[in-house]
Amino acid sequence: MTTTTKPAAPVAAAPVRRLGPGALALRQGRLEITQFLRSRESVVFTMGFPIIMILIFASIFSGEIGGGVKFTQYFITGMIATGLMTVSFQNLGIWIPIERDRGVLKRYRGTPMPKWVWFAGKVIMVVAIGVAETALLLVVAVLLFDLKLPDTVGKWLTFGWVAALGVTACTLCGIAISSLARTARSGSAVVTPVALVLQFISGVFFVFTSLPAWMQQVAALFPLKWMCQGLRAVFLPDSFGAQEPAGSFELGRVALVLAAWCVIGLLLCLTTFRWTTRRDG
């Protein structure tokens, strides 16, 4: 007597779980943040540079600039703006050419992942690191230099929209300027001089009204000057607005110029961004 064994039923394959757009963006953002934190040079330069500059300049300049405002208070507002520009414009302008040169962007373009997810990951990284850096700068400024935090909801809201518009404009411009670098090594050479010049003419290292008139006019064409001015409206007394070039903090114009740069930066990204190097065609 023979027994027959029924063949085993095939095991159904587990359904593949597809990630939604939001989950894809968050996963890419976590990846970008992890890569940033693994680069010690980027972490030290991005997070440490503004703090080091505050400590140096606070040791050199300790007097008042008028209106009961110390130079340290004035300088800290500029360094907060500089920190936001560094993590967005400068960081992206240097690292994207490296990724392009190594073929990382080319491989991303060849995957089924939507292209916007890669950009979303960069934005999430910039926002996360920018928030952490700003919080660190505020802690140092409050503990060591008696910086007074905003005491009204309105000033905190102003801080929020100035930072948001400024980071958006600088992020888009950082992505756009990354296309000027021909190789990975040239990214820093292209971006760093631009960032340094903007800092010197935008009222970061010096009181803005003490700069030559022509320099003030050039600085007014770019976002950093308006980011600094908007942050001065948050952290300095309202009476200090009378010492600004126009006799007030001009928050309406600050919003208009930063919003215009968001549009300009987006147009530059759409028309100049490249996934491959020039030698790849």
Side-chain angles (χ1 to χ4, degrees):
M1 180 177 178
T2 60
T3 58
T4 59
T5 303
K6 294 182 179 181
V11 179
V16 178
R17 182 171 174 269
R18 294 181 177 272
L19 296 177
L24 281 173
L26 289 175
R27 186 176 67 175
Q28 185 65 23
R30 286 195 299 268
L31 175 63
E32 296 289 347
I33 293 171
T34 301
Q35 290 178 339
F36 174 84
L37 295 177
R38 286 177 177 174
S39 175
R40 295 180 181 178
E41 296 83 358
S42 295
V43 174
V44 171
F45 179 79
T46 303
M47 306 294 285
F49 176 76
I51 295 176
I52 292 172
M53 296 304 295
I54 287 177
L55 295 175
I56 292 175
F57 272 75
S59 300
I60 299 174
F61 304 101
S62 57
E64 290 189 0
I65 60 174
V69 175
K70 296 180 180 179
F71 177 81
T72 305
Q73 293 175 288
Y74 188 97
F75 178 66
I76 287 172
T77 60
M79 288 313 299
I80 293 173
T82 295
L84 294 174
M85 185 187 72
T86 300
V87 74
S88 52
F89 174 79
Q90 198 163 351
N91 187 51
L92 295 179
I94 291 173
W95 274 101
I96 290 177
I98 295 176
E99 294 182 348
R100 183 184 293 119
D101 204 50
R102 292 175 177 174
V104 175
L105 300 189
K106 187 176 181 180
R107 290 194 294 272
Y108 267 123
R109 190 178 66 168
T111 66
M113 184 182 75
K115 295 182 179 62
W116 68 264
V117 173
W118 180 83
F119 292 99
K122 293 294 185 186
V123 171
I124 291 173
M125 183 272 292
V126 166
V127 172
I129 303 302
V131 169
E133 182 179 37
T134 301
L136 184 60
L137 286 172
L138 289 178
V139 169
V140 171
V142 170
L143 294 180
L144 300 182
F145 305 109
D146 299 323
L147 179 71
K148 294 181 180 180
L149 295 177
D151 54 1
T152 64
V153 175
K155 286 196 172 184
W156 280 111
L157 290 175
T158 300
F159 184 31
W161 67 255
V162 170
L165 285 176
V167 166
T168 301
C170 290
T171 297
L172 292 169
C173 290
I175 295 173
I177 200 173
S178 69
S179 297
L180 294 179
R182 292 181 175 272
T183 64
R185 293 182 178 180
S186 62
S188 179
V190 170
V191 178
T192 302
V194 175
L196 286 176
V197 169
L198 288 177
Q199 290 172 42
F200 275 101
I201 68 174
S202 298
V204 174
F205 300 119
F206 307 101
V207 177
F208 186 71
T209 51
S210 67
L211 299 173
W214 67 267
M215 196 175 293
Q216 295 181 33
Q217 293 171 1
V218 172
L221 299 175
F222 300 97
L224 184 59
K225 181 266 183 186
W226 299 100
M227 292 170 64
C228 294
Q229 186 167 311
L231 292 178
R232 289 198 292 271
V234 174
F235 292 100
L236 300 186
D238 294 336
S239 58
F240 190 82
Q243 300 191 39
E244 295 289 341
S248 70
F249 288 118
E250 297 183 289
L251 289 179
R253 181 170 292 183
V254 170
L256 182 63
V257 174
L258 292 180
W261 267 104
C262 290
V263 176
I264 293 171
L266 179 60
L267 293 175
L268 290 174
C269 286
L270 294 175
T271 55
T272 65
F273 184 77
R274 294 180 292 104
W275 292 89
T276 58
T277 61
R278 288 183 173 89
R279 63 177 178 269
D280 291 332

